Amino acid sequence: GTQFFIDVLQYEIIAVAFIVIVAVSPEMGGYSGSAFLPFVLTLLMAPLAMTGTGYLISFCFDNPDSALRYVPLILEVLALVPFISVTIIIASSESTARLIHIIFCAIDP
Protein backbone atom coordinates (compact mmCIF):
# COMPACT_ATOMS: atom_id res chain seq x y z
CA GLY A 1 0.00 0.00 0.00
CA THR A 2 1.81 3.03 1.27
CA GLN A 3 5.30 1.58 0.74
CA PHE A 4 4.54 1.29 -2.99
CA PHE A 5 3.64 4.98 -3.20
CA ILE A 6 6.73 5.94 -1.19
CA ASP A 7 8.93 3.94 -3.58
CA VAL A 8 7.28 5.51 -6.64
CA LEU A 9 7.60 8.99 -5.13
CA GLN A 10 11.32 8.48 -4.51
CA TYR A 11 11.85 7.59 -8.17
CA GLU A 12 9.61 10.44 -9.35
CA ILE A 13 11.70 12.99 -7.42
CA ILE A 14 14.78 11.81 -9.29
CA ALA A 15 12.89 11.86 -12.62
CA VAL A 16 11.66 15.43 -12.07
CA ALA A 17 15.16 16.56 -11.08
CA PHE A 18 16.55 15.00 -14.26
CA ILE A 19 13.88 16.70 -16.39
CA VAL A 20 14.73 20.07 -14.85
CA ILE A 21 18.46 19.52 -15.39
CA VAL A 22 17.92 18.61 -19.04
CA ALA A 23 15.50 21.50 -19.62
CA VAL A 24 17.79 24.20 -18.24
CA SER A 25 21.17 22.76 -19.14
CA PRO A 26 23.19 25.12 -21.35
CA GLU A 27 24.79 22.11 -23.06
CA MET A 28 21.32 20.98 -24.15
CA GLY A 29 20.38 24.50 -25.24
CA GLY A 30 17.33 24.56 -22.97
CA TYR A 31 16.07 21.38 -24.58
CA SER A 32 12.51 21.93 -25.77
CA GLY A 33 12.34 20.12 -29.11
CA SER A 34 9.48 17.97 -30.34
CA ALA A 35 10.87 14.96 -28.49
CA PHE A 36 10.78 16.74 -25.13
CA LEU A 37 7.15 15.87 -24.29
CA PRO A 38 7.57 12.12 -24.96
CA PHE A 39 10.85 12.29 -23.03
CA VAL A 40 9.09 13.86 -20.03
CA LEU A 41 6.16 11.44 -20.18
CA THR A 42 8.50 8.46 -20.35
CA LEU A 43 10.50 9.67 -17.36
CA LEU A 44 7.34 10.28 -15.34
CA MET A 45 5.63 6.99 -16.28
CA ALA A 46 8.67 4.70 -16.05
CA PRO A 47 9.00 4.75 -12.23
CA LEU A 48 5.38 3.76 -11.81
CA ALA A 49 5.66 0.94 -14.35
CA MET A 50 9.02 -0.34 -13.07
CA THR A 51 8.01 -0.26 -9.41
CA GLY A 52 4.66 -1.91 -10.16
CA THR A 53 6.31 -4.65 -12.19
CA GLY A 54 8.86 -5.25 -9.45
CA TYR A 55 6.16 -5.53 -6.80
CA LEU A 56 4.03 -7.89 -8.91
CA ILE A 57 6.96 -10.15 -9.73
CA SER A 58 8.08 -10.22 -6.09
CA PHE A 59 4.76 -11.79 -5.07
CA CYS A 60 5.49 -14.80 -7.31
CA PHE A 61 8.46 -15.98 -5.23
CA ASP A 62 8.93 -17.07 -1.64
CA ASN A 63 12.64 -17.81 -2.00
CA PRO A 64 15.08 -15.02 -3.02
CA ASP A 65 17.33 -17.58 -4.75
CA SER A 66 14.58 -18.69 -7.10
CA ALA A 67 13.66 -15.05 -7.73
CA LEU A 68 17.24 -14.30 -8.78
CA ARG A 69 17.12 -17.23 -11.16
CA TYR A 70 13.78 -16.47 -12.87
CA VAL A 71 13.21 -12.71 -12.69
CA PRO A 72 15.63 -11.88 -15.56
CA LEU A 73 13.80 -14.36 -17.80
CA ILE A 74 10.41 -12.91 -16.83
CA LEU A 75 11.61 -9.36 -17.54
CA GLU A 76 13.02 -10.37 -20.93
CA VAL A 77 9.74 -11.99 -21.92
CA LEU A 78 7.79 -8.94 -20.73
CA ALA A 79 10.07 -6.73 -22.83
CA LEU A 80 9.55 -8.85 -25.94
CA VAL A 81 5.73 -8.99 -25.76
CA PRO A 82 5.20 -5.37 -26.91
CA PHE A 83 7.80 -5.67 -29.66
CA ILE A 84 6.38 -8.89 -31.07
CA SER A 85 2.75 -7.78 -30.86
CA VAL A 86 3.40 -4.42 -32.57
CA THR A 87 5.48 -6.15 -35.26
CA ILE A 88 2.65 -8.59 -36.00
CA ILE A 89 -0.10 -5.94 -35.94
CA ILE A 90 1.79 -3.48 -38.15
CA ALA A 91 1.31 -5.87 -41.07
CA SER A 92 -2.46 -5.34 -40.95
CA SER A 93 -2.89 -1.78 -39.63
CA GLU A 94 -0.16 0.78 -39.11
CA SER A 95 -2.40 3.17 -37.15
CA THR A 96 -3.47 0.41 -34.75
CA ALA A 97 0.15 -0.65 -34.34
CA ARG A 98 1.15 2.95 -33.56
CA LEU A 99 -1.60 3.22 -30.92
CA ILE A 100 -0.58 -0.07 -29.30
CA HIS A 101 3.07 1.05 -29.40
CA ILE A 102 2.16 4.25 -27.52
CA ILE A 103 0.16 2.28 -24.94
CA PHE A 104 3.02 -0.15 -24.41
CA CYS A 105 5.47 2.74 -24.04
CA ALA A 106 3.34 4.05 -21.18
CA ILE A 107 2.84 0.76 -19.32
CA ASP A 108 6.06 -1.09 -20.15
CA PRO A 109 8.89 1.40 -20.75
Side-chain angles (χ1 to χ4, degrees):
T2 57
Q3 185 61 44
F4 174 77
F5 292 111
I6 291 170
D7 291 341
V8 170
L9 183 61
Q10 288 174 341
Y11 282 114
E12 291 293 346
I13 291 169
I14 295 167
V16 169
F18 190 69
I19 291 167
V20 170
I21 289 169
V22 168
V24 300
S25 172
E27 289 82 22
M28 300 296 281
Y31 186 68
S32 61
S34 63
F36 190 67
L37 181 60
F39 169 75
V40 168
L41 290 176
T42 300
L43 280 179
L44 293 177
M45 296 291 288
L48 181 62
M50 290 186 299
T51 306
T53 303
Y55 271 69
L56 288 175
I57 291 174
S58 72
F59 292 127
C60 297
F61 300 98
D62 294 330
N63 184 355
D65 292 331
S66 61
L68 286 173
R69 187 176 322 134
Y70 294 112
V71 167
L73 176 63
I74 293 170
L75 292 176
E76 285 182 34
V77 170
L78 288 176
L80 286 176
V81 167
F83 172 75
I84 292 170
S85 60
V86 169
T87 303
I88 291 170
I89 294 171
I90 203 167
S92 62
S93 172
E94 188 172 330
S95 61
T96 304
R98 179 176 288 275
L99 177 64
I100 292 172
H101 170 71
I102 291 169
I103 291 169
F104 278 134
C105 284
I107 62 172
D108 187 22

